[in-house]
């Protein structure tokens, strides 16, 4: 039951509604299109990475702009936990990186800029 460890919705459906795990997964899968993409890509890594810091107000603003832009799933990498990345990203965070296209979008950015940047690489 590894998916139950990461989904409160599925855990509640299985525990409270007493439905089989497979039924819960199918129900959520059908109801939430973004989850459908996530489940079908299970095992693959997000194409985008957001480099950020803990307790960073600019990073919080970047997350809000990514949400407004409806950016695809991305991985968050906190520099506080990755000292080897400090020289490259330390003074630049937040930075959105397109791993497939090997390009980066430095802060400041807004939702429109993110959308245009994502459209360039067809993400």
């Amino acid at each position: 039951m590894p998916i139950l460890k990461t989904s409160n919705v599925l855990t509640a459906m299985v525990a409270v509604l007493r439905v089989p795990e497979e039924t819960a997964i199918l129900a959520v899968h059908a109801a939430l299109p973004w989850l459908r993409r996530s489940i079908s890509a299970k095992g693959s890594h997000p194409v985008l990475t957001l480099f950020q810091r803990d307790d960073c107000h600019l990073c919080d603003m970047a997350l809000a702009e990514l949400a407004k832009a409806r950016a695809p799933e991305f991985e968050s990498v906190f520099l506080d936990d990755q000292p080897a990345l400090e020289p490259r990203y330390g003074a630049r965070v937040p930075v959105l990186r397109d791993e497939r296209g090997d390009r980066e979008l430095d802060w400041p950015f807004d939702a429109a800029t993110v959308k245009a940047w994502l459209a360039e690489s067809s993400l």
Side-chain angles (χ1 to χ4, degrees), residues 2-3 25 36-45:
I3 197 163
I25 291 170
R36 183 180 303 119
R37 289 192 305 269
S38 176
I39 290 173
S40 67
K42 190 176 178 182
S44 65
H45 297 287

Side-chain angles (χ1 to χ4, degrees), residues 41-113:
K42 190 176 178 182
S44 65
H45 297 287
V47 175
L48 297 176
T49 303
L50 179 66
F51 293 95
Q52 58 185 333
R53 293 188 184 281
D54 288 326
D55 300 319
C56 167
H57 75 283
L58 295 178
C59 301
D60 294 339
M61 292 169 61
L63 288 168
E65 294 302 322
L66 290 170
K68 287 181 201 172
R70 297 182 180 257
E73 181 182 349
F74 57 89
E75 179 181 0
S76 289
V77 173
F78 291 87
L79 294 186
D80 310 281
D81 302 330
Q82 305 285 332
L85 295 174
E86 183 70 33
R88 182 171 180 177
Y89 295 106
R92 297 172 48 207
V93 294
V95 176
L96 185 61
R97 177 167 173 72
D98 171 5
E99 301 295 342
R100 188 182 308 151
D102 194 31
R103 59 197 191 106
E104 297 175 344
L105 179 62
D106 286 8
W107 182 259
F109 51 76
D110 60 11
T113 304

